[in-house]
Amino acid sequence: DSSGDVNGTIAEEYVYGGTSDWRTDLYSHPGSCPEIPTHKESIELIQSFGAKFTPELKGPSVEMPFNGFSQEDYAQKMIDEYVAAG
């Protein structure tokens, strides 16, 4: 089986028309993959399991400030989300 539609009339159909039999389509459909939770949502999820842990803010992997946030701003935002979560 070809991974593309051999009867496709445009390049995209030919290249992206299907999946080989030995591959899975499990994760290829919209809504089939879970979305990555926000930090706030992850705190809520972990708390719902009764888990406890010590958060760690890593050093930046991008030049700071980034999108108007300094490293200190990110640290404060993380602290604020834990405080708000109780």
Side-chain angles (χ1 to χ4, degrees):
D1 185 20
S2 171
S3 64
D5 180 359
V6 296
N7 297 316
T9 58
I10 59 174
E12 287 80 9
E13 292 172 344
Y14 183 77
V15 175
Y16 303 110
T19 303
S20 295
D21 290 339
W22 54 272
R23 292 191 179 265
T24 181
D25 282 331
L26 183 61
Y27 306 109
S28 63
H29 304 288
S32 65
C33 290
E35 291 185 23
I36 297 173
T38 64
H39 185 248
K40 180 182 176 209
E41 292 167 339
S42 71
I43 293 169
E44 293 168 357
L45 178 64
I46 292 166
Q47 284 181 337
S48 75
F49 292 120
K52 296 183 180 192
F53 66 98
T54 302
E56 177 183 6
L57 184 65
K58 307 269 188 207
S61 59
V62 295
E63 189 174 325
M64 300 299 277
F66 183 76
N67 287 341
F69 274 78
S70 67
Q71 180 69 5
E72 292 79 18
D73 294 331
Y74 278 109
Q76 189 60 56
K77 182 178 179 184
M78 183 183 83
I79 292 166
D80 293 344
E81 288 178 348
Y82 281 101
V83 169

